[in-house]
C-alpha cells in the first residue's frame, strides 16, 4: 500500500519519494484532472485495485491481453472549438492505471525517473515550468498547476523583457496524440539502447514496461498517449525533457549562447536578442521534434519584439478594463458573448463567465427577464466548450428563479440545441449535476451519466480480466451516494471555479 502521509504543501510529484509519489498518483484528482461533478471520486476504486493487484504485473492475472480488446479506456471527447477539433480525455482502465503507477514508483524505477529529470534540468537556459504538482490543501491540484502557468510562464516572460529583445512563441501540434510510446524508452534509457535488439527484448526496462502498458490500454496503438491524468502528464514531461536535452546539444553545436527558453509542457517561448538566433533555435527545435514524431504548429508560431505585450495572452489583454461593474445581467452576458466571438474558447471567456456566475448566484431575485439571458449564455456555451461546467452553474442559478413546472421544457430545449454538437457528454454530466436535485428528466448519451443510478455499471471494457476484479470496478465504487444525497439545486462557485479571484 502507498504511503498515505500528508504532503505539507503543493509540490512537484517528481520531488516526492516513491511512496508519497504513489499515494499522490492514486488520488482521484490526479487520476483524472478533467472537470467532473464532485460526487465522482475514483480514489476508492484505485485503492481497491491496488490492494487486489498487490504489485503483481497484469500479465500474470489477465485472461487475455487487454490490447486485444477495444474500449479498455473510457473516453470523454472534449471539443476544443465547438466544431470539429476534438480532444479525447481518457479515464485509463483502473487496473492498467495502477499497474503504470506501480511500475513508475518502484524504488529503483522512481530513482531512474528522478535522475532523468535532474539531467533534463542541466541546462539552465531551458526551463520546464510545467511539472505536475499535487497538494493536500484546500487548493485543488489543478489550481496549483494554473498558478504555475501564471507565475512561471507569464510573470517570468515579463521579467525576461529586461534581458531580451525578441520572443518566439510556438507549440507542438496535437502533442499527446503524437507522442510515440517507444520514445518513452528513449527518454529513460537512451535511444541507442532502446532501439537495439537487446533493449527491445528487455522486458525489465521501465521504459518498455510503460510503453507496453499504455499501448495495451489503447488496443495496441503506439502513436499517442492518453490525456487527462497527471500520470500521463508526467510521462509526457519525460519525453519532452528528453527533447530539451537534444535541443541543448544542437544549440551548443551552433554556439548560440544568448538565449532563454521557457517551456510549459508543449508550449515554448524562445527569448533572444537577435531575430536570427531565435529563428535558428526554432528550426533546431523542429528538427528535434521531427525525430520524435512530432511537429510545431505553424499557425501558433509567432515572432515579436514586444515581449511585454506577447507575454500576456491576447484575449486577456482585450478583456482587461472591458467589464463594468454596473450593468444589467443581459448586457453583462451580451458583453461576454461579444468576447467569445472575438476570442472563442479562450481563458478570458471562462473567467468572464465565472465572474457572471459569482454575480448571479448572490442575487435573491432577478429583475431582468430570465429567458433572454439563458439564450445568450447557451449560445456562448455552444461555441465555447471549456465553459460547460460554469455554464451549468449559471443555468442552475437562473432556473432556480423559475417555477419548477417551467424548468423541464427549457432544459429539454437546451439539450436539443446541444444535440447539434457531437460528443457533448461533458455538458450532459454537468447538467445532470443540477437536474438531480431539481428533479428534471434528462436524456443522456454519456455512459458516465448512467453511473449515478446504475451501481453495477462497468464503464471500462474488462473482458480481459478475471471475474474477481469486476466488483472493484462497479460504478458504486466511484460514485459517492452520500454527496449525491445532499446536493443543492444551485451549483456553487466552489464546485466549478478554481479560484475566488482571476488569473
Amino acid at each position: 500500500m502507498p504511503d498515505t502521509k500528508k504532503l505539507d504543501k503543493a509540490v512537484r510529484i517528481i520531488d516526492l519519494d516513491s511512496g508519497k509519489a504513489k499515494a499522490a498518483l492514486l488520488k482521484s484528482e490526479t487520476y483524472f484532472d478533467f472537470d467532473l461533478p464532485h460526487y465522482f471520486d475514483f480514489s476508492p476504486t484505485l485503492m481497491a485495485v491496488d490492494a487486489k493487484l498487490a504489485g503483481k504485473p497484469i500479465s500474470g492475472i489477465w485472461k487475455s491481453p487487454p490490447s486485444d480488446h477495444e474500449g479498455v479506456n473510457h473516453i470523454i471527447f472534449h471539443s476544443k472549438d465547438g466544431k470539429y477539433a476534438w480532444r479525447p480525455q481518457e479515464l485509463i482502465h483502473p487496473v492498467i492505471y495502477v499497474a503504470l503507477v506501480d511500475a513508475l514508483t518502484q524504488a529503483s524505477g522512481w530513482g531512474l525517473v528522478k535522475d532523468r529529470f535532474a539531467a533534463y534540468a542541466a541546462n539552465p537556459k531551458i526551463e520546464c515550468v510545467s511539472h505536475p504538482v499535487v497538494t493536500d490543501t484546500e487548493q485543488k491540484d489543478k489550481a496549483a498547476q494554473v498558478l504555475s502557468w501564471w507565475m512561471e510562464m507569464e510573470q517570468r516572460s515579463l521579467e525576461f523583457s529586461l534581458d531580451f529583445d525578441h520572443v518566439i512563441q510556438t507549440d507542438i501540434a496535437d502533442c499527446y496524440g503524437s507522442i510515440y510510446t517507444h520514445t518513452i524508452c528513449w527518454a529513460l534509457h537512451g535511444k541507442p539502447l532502446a532501439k537495439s535488439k537487446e533493449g527491445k527484448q528487455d522486458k525489465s526496462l521501465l521504459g518498455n514496461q510503460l510503453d507496453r502498458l499504455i499501448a495495451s490500454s489503447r488496443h495496441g496503438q503506439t502513436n499517442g498517449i492518453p490525456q487527462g491524468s497527471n500520470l500521463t502528464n508526467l510521462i509526457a514531461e519525460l519525453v519532452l525533457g528528453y527533447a530539451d536535452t537534444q535541443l541543448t546539444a544542437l544549440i551548443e553545436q551552433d554556439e548560440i549562447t544568448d538565449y532563454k527558453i521557457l517551456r510549459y509542457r508543449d508550449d515554448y517561448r524562445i527569448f533572444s536578442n537577435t531575430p536570427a538566433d531565435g529563428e535558428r533555435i526554432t528550426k533546431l527545435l523542429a528538427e528535434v521534434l521531427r525525430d520524435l514524431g512530432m511537429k510545431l504548429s505553424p499557425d501558433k508560431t509567432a515572432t515579436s519584439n514586444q515581449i511585454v505585450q506577447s507575454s500576456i495572452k491576447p484575449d486577456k489583454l482585450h478583456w482587461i478594463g472591458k467589464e463594468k461593474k454596473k450593468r444589467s445581467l443581459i448586457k453583462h452576458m451580451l458583453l461576454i458573448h461579444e468576447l467569445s466571438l472575438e476570442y472563442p474558447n479562450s481563458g478570458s471567456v471562462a473567467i468572464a463567465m465565472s465572474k457572471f456566475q459569482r454575480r448571479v448566484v448572490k442575487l435573491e431575485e432577478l429583475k431582468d427577464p430570465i429567458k433572454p439571458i439563458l439564450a445568450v449564455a447557451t449560445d456562448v456555451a455552444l461555441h465555447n466548450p471549456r465553459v460547460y461546467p460554469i455554464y451549468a452553474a449559471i443555468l442552475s442559478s437562473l432556473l432556480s428563479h423559475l417555477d419548477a413546472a417551467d424548468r423541464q421544457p427549457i432544459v429539454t430545449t437546451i439539450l436539443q440545441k446541444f444535440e447539434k454538437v457531437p460528443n457533448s457528454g461533458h455538458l450532459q454530466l454537468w447538467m445532470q449535476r443540477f437536474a438531480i436535485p431539481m428533479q428534471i428528466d434528462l436524456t443522456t448519451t454519456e455512459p458516465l451519466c448512467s453511473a449515478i443510478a446504475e451501481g453495477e455499471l462497468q464503464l471500462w471494457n474488462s473482458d480481459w480480466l478475471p471475474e474477481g476484479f469486476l466488483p472493484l470496478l462497479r460504478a458504486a465504487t466511484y460514485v459517492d451516494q452520500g454527496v449525491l444525497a445532499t446536493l443543492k439545486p444551485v451549483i456553487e462557485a466552489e464546485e466549478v471555479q478554481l479560484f475566488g479571484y482571476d488569473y
Side-chain angles (χ1 to χ4, degrees), residues 130-232:
S130 52
H131 275 281
V133 298
V134 290
T135 175
D136 69 345
T137 65
E138 291 184 359
Q139 183 187 57
K140 295 180 180 179
D141 295 346
K142 189 174 180 179
Q145 202 74 54
V146 171
L147 280 172
S148 75
W149 165 272
W150 169 248
M151 298 302 296
E152 301 295 338
M153 200 66 164
E154 290 196 341
Q155 296 284 349
R156 294 292 301 286
S157 295
L158 292 171
E159 291 177 20
F160 289 155
S161 67
L162 293 172
D163 302 309
F164 298 99
D165 296 327
H166 301 274
V167 62
I168 294 178
Q169 299 188 60
T170 188
D171 72 5
I172 300 172
D174 188 24
C175 179
Y176 282 67
S178 301
I179 292 178
Y180 186 43
T181 59
H182 295 343
T183 59
I184 300 169
C185 199
W186 301 8
L188 282 168
H189 310 288
K191 187 176 179 181
L193 174 60
K195 290 185 70 68
S196 69
K197 182 178 179 180
E198 177 188 11
K200 290 179 180 178
Q201 294 177 345
D202 189 349
K203 295 183 179 180
S204 68
L205 289 180
L206 175 60
N208 285 339
Q209 294 178 46
L210 299 176
D211 177 357
R212 286 194 304 271
L213 285 167
I214 290 173
S216 71
S217 75
R218 312 178 90 227
H219 207 201
Q221 182 176 324
T222 59
N223 191 28
I225 66 173
Q227 187 167 355
S229 75
N230 258 341
L231 173 64
T232 52

Side-chain angles (χ1 to χ4, degrees), residues 247 280-291 294-296:
L247 179 59
R280 179 59 183 161
I281 290 172
T282 304
K283 290 179 181 179
L284 294 176
L285 174 60
E287 292 177 17
V288 168
L289 294 174
R290 184 173 63 245
D291 187 51
M294 296 184 280
K295 61 182 180 180
L296 296 176

